[in-house]
Amino acid sequence: MSKPVKHIHLAAHFPGVNNTTVWSDPEAGSHIEFGSFAHLARTAERAKFDFFFLAEGLRLREQGGEIYDLDVVGRPDTFTVLAALAAVTERLGLTGTINSTFNEPYEVARQFASLDHLSGGRAGWNVVTSWDAFTGENFRRGGYLPQEQRYERARAFLSASATLFDSWRGDDIAADAGRGVFAGDPHAGGFAYRDAHFDIEGHFDVPRSPQGRPVILQAGDSEEGREFAAATADAIFTRHGTLEAGQAFYADVKGRLARYGRTRDQLVVLPAATFVVGDTDADAHEKAAVIRRKQVSAQTAIKFAEQLWNRDLSGYDPEGPLPEVDPLPGENTISRGRASVRLYRDPVATAREWRELASARNLSLRELIIEVTGRQTFIGSAATIAEEINHLVQQDASDGFILVPHVTPGGLDEFADTVVPLLQERGVFRSDYEGVTLRDHLGIGSSLPGNLERSA
Amino acid sequence: MTGKPELHLATALEATGWHPASWREPRARPGEIFTAAYWTDLVREAEKGLLDFVTIEDSLGPGDGIERTDRVRGRLDSVLIASRVAPSTTEIGLVPTVVATHTEPFHLSKALATLDYVSQGRAGVRVRVDGSAGNAAHFGRRDPATLTREELFAEAADYVEVIRRLWDSWEDEAEIRDVATGRFVDREKLHYIDFEGPWFGVKGPSITPRPPQGQLPVAVLAHATAAYRLAARSADLVFVTPRDERDAARIVSEIGAESDVAGRENRPGIFADLVVFLDETERAAVDRKARLDELAGETCDSDAAVFTGTAGQLAEVLTGLAEQGITGFRLRPGAIPHDLLAITTKVTAVLREAGRYRSRYALDSEQRTTLRGTLGLGRPASRYAEVAS
Ligand SMILES: Cc1cc2nc3c(=O)[nH]c(=O)nc-3n(C[C@H](O)[C@H](O)[C@H](O)COP(=O)(O)O)c2cc1C
């Protein structure tokens, strides 16, 4: 018995604050003017993508005690830019990263409910849990959260938000001028929520929005993060996009769902991926090699190495061999505000692996960094890329991809014009939107078990 | 009346209008106030009338009010409304309301900077305090009863200071894209703001580059000394509520005195707020308001003076107030669309005929309309920029 053909989900990630964007490219435009965001969103909508995606970081990164200056720096406010994008698109989902540590539920629930109203049901929330005191210095309460409480607070934050979203029913706005009844129920919006993190009560002031609750995405990779996703998320944003790593991750997170009484199609798995489209495969590979060298300049290579080594490596030659010294143990003080630093859980072991890889393949420091910092990338002709994406999805390495172009803002145009039609021809990607809301696009239905019950 | 300066006109948007029964008017669209189309229509109408800006009211909950079913309930976040409307308009200023008491200045500063990007320099902000216990319970973090009114306003002053420093924390030319050195930004042009006050501290810099206007115009609604002081120190615009010309003169001089104490070079522009019911005859306006009062079961009263009459009569009131040093007006339509249309078409026409109102928006040096430009404010340099000598 053959498996039914899966339908692919695609999203467009506006290149964020990292070395993905080749800002020196002559085609590279502004990364902050609204026109750039509008361009990418319109392209994604033209290609019938599920959603537009925005990352977030709440403090400028530093290295060696100074603001990091080699990558694109500076980004807009998530909610504000998504609300404006709702004006220039009609169906595209609008998904943004909002941290559960540096915010309060009442305000965030209000913003997402507002966004959902103002976009006609297209809001999505990538819940991230970065907790560090470095970022906390930008906020009133300072200090912040012990790491082990990050998901605890995130769960509480989501529960509190759900309480707020559910505090209005769909028919609570009567607006019956003749009878003089605006609110159908005097208690509409009433809520109370208490746990170890929040003790809040009162009246939520945004009526039920088209989706009821925004779509929830999760993007952490730890054990707690995966469990959090299985329990609460509609979609998961991951780094594991290759066939084997993707399949392992996919099986792992989908396998966790049953514990929460959920089915496998209630969590959409979406790895991040970049792409380089060429006229031929060979042409694409040539282009990709050039792009990688632009993304990892000589200076960038040294800075990346410093993030693992946790020491000043400015005396080393990026085109030479790897440092012989071991990474400095203990708290990473060289690089701050970067999630990637936490990926290297055992820096000494990682450095050893890198040295082995470099000597086996005769790689310079820079070539090594190009190798190890690469992420899932589709390289080839449009036909090759369409084939590969479809293969990965049909083989359960993912349910689709969140695509990050390397040029702002036109980097998705070619993909939209050449790869998407091939996926549509195969019948694995929509030719037009079938529904209106982001939930419709993701095929996850309503996540409102208590649809008709007021929660407080 | 030639030779007198042009007056500034803004409108304060609140649901279906400021009268509590306005939502029951036949032309009201109460079922649509949570849609983008509703707000886009209103702001476009204000833009057609060449108004300086719209303000959008906001709060973090209904406050300590009662649960009445015959009043409009609920609202959307005003920064998001302004942002949603921005790409569909080109000239009018967009001024949402933010609450300094409960929200993070870091988040608000970047949200407003982003609003300035999406509107290409048409954003402003009205900052308010919120001493309501009901809304404080939505955050569960602090008991506002422990803060005096003076402290709430002093904290708001710190708040404005922080959002302004964050806007300046990127100098205009911070993005350099220097291919030779591989540097995207010049870190010498990015600044920690290192703000420390009694209530909070913020490190900086912002994550969002300096907004197109450099500094967004900041407005405060003020009824009493603590708020006049905040306005005199921190704001570009102050919305006041004179009962008559004498009251206006008193308010103008009190704000002037506070500005002198604060040592401000440029005094804030003073806009008088009025709730307006406008019709072809005074009688019709009075009757209409009376009918709405009856529907509401009470007389519509307000912190601002309530005007009922014709556009011509209103223009006389406005020019009279302007004699006392009031530089502009924030008219609060009693019922939308009726009174909004009367403002955008009739009031502006009467004033224009008298040579006291613009017939097109002013362009700034980059050939586009900015809110600072409309208000006659120059573009300030970042406070952190080295003065080139
Ligand atoms: C694909 C992916 C994207 C992420 N994007 C963001 C982001 O935009 N902003 C952020 O603060 N953290 C982001 N994160 C980091 C995590 O969500 C966050 O740091 C979390 O605390 C780490 O959780 P973990 O320990 O479960 O990995 C991302 C992580 C992944 C895997």
Side-chain angles (χ1 to χ4, degrees):
Chain A
M1 203 179 78
S2 70
K3 260 176 59 167
V5 172
K6 283 167 72 183
H7 286 258
I8 297 171
H9 295 282
L10 292 175
H13 186 327
F14 192 92
V17 172
N18 51 45
N19 66 322
T20 307
T21 307
V22 180
W23 51 259
S24 57
D25 191 301
E27 305 268 295
S30 170
H31 67 108
I32 190 67
E33 296 293 338
F34 180 62
S36 292
F37 294 87
H39 183 103
L40 183 69
R42 286 187 172 121
T43 305
E45 181 159 275
R46 171 159 63 81
K48 316 297 176 198
F49 275 34
D50 292 50
F51 60 89
F52 172 97
F53 181 89
L54 212 54
E56 185 188 62
L58 295 170
R59 180 149 176 201
L60 300 189
R61 291 165 178 175
E62 291 181 3
Q63 189 145 335
E66 291 182 320
I67 288 167
Y68 192 77
D69 57 3
L70 299 180
D71 298 345
V72 166
V73 180
R75 51 172 120 217
D77 176 70
T78 301
F79 285 116
T80 315
V81 84
L82 293 180
L85 287 174
V88 300
T89 54
E90 284 174 5
R91 296 292 185 90
L92 186 69
L94 300 166
T95 297
T97 301
I98 293 292
N99 190 294
S100 59
T101 300
F102 304 106
N103 286 288
E104 296 298 325
Y106 193 90
E107 196 183 9
V108 166
R110 199 169 185 273
Q111 289 167 311
F112 271 114
S114 296
L115 180 63
D116 207 45
H117 277 290
L118 293 169
S119 65
R122 300 189 275 140
W125 174 9
N126 178 35
V127 186
V128 295
T129 59
S130 312
W131 69 88
D132 54 293
F134 174 71
T135 305
E137 283 180 354
N138 278 336
F139 296 95
R140 282 182 190 236
R141 288 190 307 159
Y144 274 88
L145 205 63
Q147 179 182 352
E148 61 279 8
Q149 284 182 26
R150 71 197 189 287
Y151 280 108
E152 209 184 288
R153 181 172 160 111
R155 272 175 206 263
F157 200 112
L158 268 187
S159 304
S161 303
T163 301
L164 294 165
F165 293 132
D166 296 352
S167 67
W168 289 75
R169 290 181 302 216
D171 59 358
D172 274 339
I173 298 294
D176 183 336
R179 285 195 303 134
V181 176
F182 186 84
D185 183 324
H187 305 296
F191 74 93
Y193 181 89
R194 275 182 192 90
D195 65 19
H197 290 271
F198 305 107
D199 180 359
I200 57 177
E201 64 178 14
H203 283 89
F204 189 51
D205 64 348
V206 186
R208 165 65 49 91
S209 71
Q211 291 187 113
R213 300 177 191 174
V215 167
I216 302 296
L217 275 84
Q218 190 274 352
D221 200 21
S222 60
E223 176 64 24
E224 305 103 291
R226 293 179 186 203
E227 210 54 31
F228 175 71
T232 60
D234 300 303
I236 187 162
F237 178 23
T238 155
R239 294 196 178 89
H240 308 288
T242 57
L243 185 63
E244 275 168 32
Q247 283 175 329
F249 180 81
Y250 193 90
D252 177 70
V253 292
K254 295 252 177 175
R256 293 172 192 252
L257 291 163
R259 225 176 295 170
Y260 300 97
R262 304 178 68 199
T263 58
R264 291 172 71 86
D265 53 6
Q266 284 179 309
L267 182 67
V268 180
V269 177
L270 300 171
T274 60
F275 56 88
V276 180
V277 192
D279 293 337
T280 62
D281 289 358
D283 169 47
H285 281 280
E286 242 169 70
K287 271 182 25 193
V290 174
I291 290 163
R292 285 300 286 150
R293 285 184 68 79
K294 285 186 181 157
Q295 288 169 324
V296 183
S297 67
Q299 299 99 320
T300 298
I302 293 290
K303 296 291 180 192
F304 256 109
E306 287 181 347
Q307 289 163 23
L308 178 73
W309 263 268
N310 191 23
R311 42 165 110 220
D312 179 357
L313 301 179
S314 54
Y316 285 83
D317 176 6
E319 315 293 352
L322 273 60
E324 293 295 339
V325 293
D326 274 333
L328 275 185
E331 173 91 353
N332 189 316
T333 52
I334 199 102
S335 175
R336 308 217 284 170
R338 241 174 227 280
S340 63
V341 169
R342 294 192 293 274
L343 285 176
Y344 311 129
R345 298 205 185 201
D346 183 350
V348 175
T350 305
R352 198 182 312 123
E353 285 164 27
W354 285 9
R355 278 194 210 100
E356 282 163 15
L357 181 64
S359 82
R361 307 228 332 242
N362 196 21
L363 303 175
S364 70
L365 177 57
R366 182 175 176 195
E367 289 163 340
L368 183 274
I369 297 294
I370 286 174
E371 188 67 28
V372 298
T373 61
R375 41 179 156 177
Q376 172 63 359
T377 307
F378 299 109
I379 305 170
S381 66
T384 301
I385 292 178
E387 175 66 38
E388 196 177 344
I389 288 176
N390 190 37
H391 179 71
L392 288 167
V393 171
Q394 303 308 334
Q395 295 303 311
D396 284 347
S398 77
D399 294 312
F401 291 90
I402 297 183
L403 298 171
V404 197
H406 66 269
V407 176
T408 304
L412 190 67
D413 298 5
E414 195 179 3
F415 187 98
D417 293 333
T418 63
V419 182
V420 169
L422 297 176
L423 293 171
Q424 289 167 333
E425 267 171 36
R426 287 166 185 265
V428 291
F429 190 67
R430 70 174 70 83
S431 302
D432 202 356
Y433 292 107
E434 283 143 35
V436 175
T437 66
L438 176 53
R439 285 185 182 283
D440 293 338
H441 307 338
L442 289 169
I444 50 176
S446 164
S447 77
L448 294 169
N451 210 356
L452 296 173
E453 294 302 318
R454 203 181 297 292
S455 55
Chain B
M1 286 225 245
T2 47
K4 299 248 171 98
E6 283 184 352
L7 299 175
H8 291 278
L9 275 193
T11 190
L13 297 179
E14 160 77 319
T16 54
W18 288 76
H19 196 291
S22 58
W23 69 272
R24 300 179 66 178
E25 285 287 82
R27 289 172 66 203
R29 295 156 64 188
E32 295 174 47
I33 60 174
F34 307 108
T35 67
Y38 181 78
W39 293 97
T40 305
D41 288 351
L42 263 44
V43 178
R44 279 195 181 144
E45 180 56 38
E47 184 169 77
K48 265 201 271 172
L50 308 182
L51 302 192
D52 288 40
F53 57 87
V54 296
T55 62
I56 303 166
E57 297 301 303
D58 206 357
S59 60
L60 294 166
D64 300 330
I66 36 152
E67 302 174 9
R68 293 182 65 150
T69 58
D70 66 337
R71 295 280 194 269
V72 166
R73 253 258 225 112
R75 55 168 88 246
L76 303 182
D77 182 280
S78 65
V79 177
L80 268 66
I81 291 175
S83 193
R84 175 64 179 77
V85 167
S88 312
T89 53
T90 53
E91 326 239 35
I92 192 159
L94 301 165
V95 182
T97 304
V98 307
V99 175
T101 311
H102 300 298
T103 56
E104 291 284 356
F106 190 84
H107 286 316
L108 251 312
S109 174
K110 67 183 160 63
L112 294 164
T114 303
L115 180 62
D116 209 37
Y117 277 103
V118 305
S119 65
Q120 299 197 293
R122 292 182 288 125
V125 61
R126 175 197 157 200
V127 176
R128 51 173 297 212
V129 302
D130 182 352
S132 128
N135 290 348
H138 295 161
F139 291 82
R141 287 192 1 220
R142 67 196 313 201
D143 179 0
T146 62
L147 294 175
T148 65
R149 201 144 186 85
E150 279 64 32
E151 284 172 323
L152 280 175
F153 278 98
E155 184 189 50
D158 281 3
Y159 195 92
V160 174
E161 174 69 14
V162 166
I163 62 178
R164 286 192 183 282
R165 284 195 201 177
L166 287 167
W167 290 331
D168 278 348
S169 67
W170 287 61
E171 292 181 35
D172 289 322
E173 309 299 329
E175 185 181 315
I176 51 171
R177 298 197 188 213
D178 186 38
V179 177
T181 59
R183 291 176 308 145
F184 182 81
V185 283
D186 177 357
R187 66 164 78 95
E188 303 296 318
K189 293 186 156 64
L190 299 175
H191 303 274
Y192 297 103
I193 68 164
D194 283 322
F195 180 87
E196 285 298 334
W199 295 283
F200 57 86
V202 176
K203 179 79 185 169
S206 180
I207 59 165
T208 307
R210 195 159 192 255
Q213 293 180 99
Q215 287 277 322
L216 278 61
V218 175
V220 177
L221 170 63
H223 305 101
T225 303
Y228 296 145
R229 185 164 301 148
L230 169 64
R233 294 193 179 169
S234 307
D236 302 287
L237 292 181
V238 49
F239 304 146
V240 298
T241 52
R243 310 310 304 180
D244 52 36
E245 288 184 22
R246 264 182 61 190
D247 199 24
R250 180 190 63 76
I251 292 168
V252 168
S253 93
E254 186 169 355
I255 292 170
E258 290 290 349
S259 302
D260 291 342
V261 173
R264 274 272 297 266
E265 232 173 81
N266 301 314
R267 295 192 173 187
I270 305 178
F271 276 53
D273 274 22
L274 287 100
V275 182
V276 297
F277 295 87
L278 296 159
D279 282 287
E280 292 302 319
T281 64
E282 183 176 351
R283 178 89 239 166
V286 170
D287 286 350
R288 187 162 57 90
K289 177 173 177 292
R291 187 166 50 74
L292 284 167
D293 284 351
E294 198 178 313
L295 272 178
E298 63 187 303
T299 308
C300 167
D301 210 358
S302 178
D303 56 324
V306 178
F307 173 89
T308 46
T310 66
Q313 288 170 323
L314 179 65
E316 266 171 51
V317 171
L318 303 188
T319 46
L321 289 168
E323 295 293 317
Q324 310 304 322
I326 300 286
T327 48
F329 301 90
R330 187 175 76 134
L331 302 178
R332 306 182 188 175
I336 291 172
H338 186 105
D339 295 304
L340 177 64
L341 289 166
I343 293 166
T344 56
T345 59
K346 305 210 170 102
V347 178
T348 50
V350 176
L351 288 174
R352 191 171 296 125
E353 210 153 292
R356 302 292 302 266
Y357 204 67
R358 69 172 70 91
S359 43
R360 59 176 182 79
Y361 283 104
L363 295 175
D364 76 5
S365 52
E366 287 178 62
Q367 298 297 300
R368 60 166 193 230
T369 305
T370 64
L371 179 54
R372 290 191 78 90
T374 299
L375 295 170
L377 303 169
R379 188 179 188 282
S382 162
R383 73 194 63 193
Y384 300 106
E386 288 282 338
V387 184
S389 52

